[in-house]
Amino acid sequence: MEMKAAVMYGPNDIRVESVEKPACPRDGLILKIMAVGLCGSDIRNLTSDSRKGNYPFIYGHEIVGVVDEVGEEETKYQTGDRLFLFPGTYCMECEECISGHSENCSNKEVASLAGTGGFAQYVAVKGEKIRRGGIYEIPEDVSFEAASLGEPLTSVFACLENVKVEYPDVLVIIGAGPIGCFMAQLAKIRGAQKVIMIDLNDTRLEMAKQFGVDVTVNSSVEDPIEAVKRLTNGKGADKVISATPANATQTQSIHMVKKGGLVVFFGGVPKGSMTELDCNLIHYNNIWIKGHFGASYSQSKRAYQLAISPTFPTEKFITHILPLDKINEGIQLTKSGDAIKVVLHPWDIS
Ligand SMILES: [Zn+2]
Ligand SMILES: [Zn+2]
């Protein structure tokens, strides 16, 4: 049987076409994908040579859908079940998993079960993934679109929890993309006193204001380091998160934080690139620098529950719902800052 999928053939070469529908694993299932979010990392991957010539490939990891087929040995789920697939898969047996940080799982075989292939009408889920966990049911009264926010929210949720953003923090977020907007909203839920959002794009900054941002700074108009100093009585912020794919914002971030403050490198930068840092400033100002990627199972579950809770402003985040064959348009809308979150529908294809 055939299905439609958005297949990547190379950087910026994404074609929606008919491909073979995956076979149902004996101990797994086939999920009919009802919605799939377009992630910042998808955009980075789809527009660069992310697989070093190894194409065709189907990206997409913010996957929600309905069980369409179950293998004869699969007993946990049934046809018709509505599921959210957290793309991380952890063994829960290695030292890192047992320490409570399963996002650092060292079991490579299990990590290779990570969900992808979501820009399609169906995806196969292996039995091993089902047994290892990270699959959550979607209640009947929750929309597929809302549930799909569980994934992008997860990493932000984990980051702010790990670095304990809370009252009375003054938090700087560099990058008003969807992730920056999630960050602002979550920082406010956690009690941050003041959120300062920095970006180059006025459209994005304007949109970010609905998510609890107190002050916006357009860094193409005003020096962002000076602005943060001005807004913090010359001291710098308690915490600064660089949530862009640019090395330059990492360089800037350590100049915006107070003595003894914390800087997080959240956004991935181009592969192999190096960031210049004023290391004496880090040394004399007792600055902490932390990287962030992913989330533990515990955090993914709680972030998912937040995403599907009625109080979470899902509809403000999802600015565009597009058919899968408009994926290229979705990429442009996100890049230009006209969209916050784009969710794709694989079954609305024209
Ligand atoms: Zn994502
Ligand atoms: Zn592990």
Side-chain angles (χ1 to χ4, degrees):
M1 237 181 93
E2 302 255 289
M3 67 167 182
K4 292 272 193 255
V7 186
M8 177 179 182
Y9 282 89
N12 295 304
D13 184 4
I14 303 118
R15 305 175 211 165
V16 175
E17 56 185 29
S18 283
V19 298
E20 191 72 25
K21 180 185 167 185
C24 185
R26 282 178 70 89
D27 60 347
L29 57 86
I30 292 290
L31 195 73
K32 179 179 178 184
I33 302 174
M34 301 307 289
V36 56
L38 183 61
C39 187
S41 69
D42 290 321
I43 293 175
R44 204 173 60 235
N45 289 328
L46 292 168
T47 56
S48 67
D49 187 17
S50 52
R51 296 187 47 85
K52 303 257 170 280
N54 186 14
Y55 308 101
F57 188 76
I58 304 173
Y59 277 107
H61 60 268
E62 300 183 353
I63 304 171
V64 293
V66 179
V67 178
D68 192 62
E69 222 182 307
V70 288
E72 49 197 84
E73 290 166 21
E74 159 54 20
T75 51
K76 191 166 179 186
Y77 297 113
Q78 291 169 358
T79 313
D81 284 352
R82 296 152 54 93
L83 302 179
F84 162 85
L85 298 187
F86 175 60
T89 310
Y90 312 129
C91 76
M92 301 312 282
E93 288 164 358
C94 71
E95 238 173 73
E96 290 79 3
C97 282
I98 290 169
S99 80
H101 283 282
S102 51
E103 70 274 23
N104 298 328
C105 177
S106 56
N107 187 324
K108 291 209 172 73
E109 222 163 285
V110 171
S112 72
L113 294 167
T116 187
F119 297 141
Q121 290 180 318
Y122 296 98
V123 70
V125 182
K126 288 183 181 160
E128 174 87 13
K129 167 76 185 167
I130 296 171
R131 289 187 294 277
R132 295 290 184 180
I135 299 177
Y136 310 131
E137 296 196 34
I138 305 170
E140 283 299 328
D141 58 348
V142 171
S143 72
F144 289 113
E145 294 78 30
S148 78
L149 287 187
E151 198 278 339
L153 196 58
T154 289
S155 191
V156 173
F157 185 99
C159 173
L160 299 195
E161 181 169 274
N162 292 353
V163 304
K164 299 188 174 59
V165 168
E166 60 200 8
Y167 185 81
D169 280 346
V170 174
L171 175 71
V172 170
I173 301 167
I174 315 176
I179 290 292
C181 291
F182 281 132
M183 248 168 208
Q185 185 78 58
L186 248 67
K188 276 299 160 101
I189 290 173
R190 294 182 59 90
Q193 189 183 175
K194 190 192 258 183
V195 174
I196 302 168
M197 180 71 88
I198 301 174
D199 201 287
L200 295 157
N201 182 317
D202 270 329
T203 315
R204 277 212 188 113
L205 286 170
E206 207 42 54
M207 283 204 288
K209 284 182 183 159
Q210 20 170 1
F211 304 109
V213 171
D214 298 287
V215 192
T216 59
V217 175
N218 185 325
S219 50
S220 68
V221 176
E222 188 180 2
D223 178 349
I225 298 167
E226 291 303 314
V228 172
K229 290 268 167 70
R230 173 173 56 77
L231 293 163
T232 54
N233 299 321
K235 289 176 86 173
D238 297 288
K239 286 157 191 163
V240 178
I241 303 178
S242 175
T244 79
N247 301 86
T249 65
Q250 295 185 339
T251 301
Q252 286 173 343
S253 61
I254 63 162
H255 297 272
M256 297 175 186
V257 76
K258 70 174 189 185
K259 283 189 173 183
L262 177 89
V263 168
V264 183
F265 292 166
F266 187 97
V269 292
K271 235 179 209 164
S273 66
M274 303 290 249
T275 298
E276 251 180 68
L277 294 174
D278 181 346
C279 292
N280 262 348
L281 184 79
I282 299 168
H283 166 69
Y284 287 117
N285 280 4
N286 293 303
I287 295 169
W288 296 82
I289 298 184
K290 193 186 180 316
H292 182 85
F293 178 77
S296 69
Y297 271 158
S298 158
Q299 290 166 327
S300 78
K301 181 104 194 220
R302 285 176 290 130
Y304 172 66
Q305 281 162 347
L306 176 64
I308 65 169
S309 79
T311 52
F312 195 75
T314 312
E315 61 298 329
K316 283 201 277 178
F317 284 101
I318 302 174
T319 51
H320 295 77
I321 297 176
L322 300 175
L324 181 62
D325 51 357
K326 297 254 167 72
I327 184 168
N328 288 303
E329 194 180 306
I331 293 171
Q332 288 316 319
L333 283 165
T334 315
K335 275 184 138 180
S336 66
D338 291 318
I340 299 176
K341 191 74 195 170
V342 174
V343 174
L344 300 165
H345 274 184
W347 292 91
D348 290 351
I349 286 179
S350 39

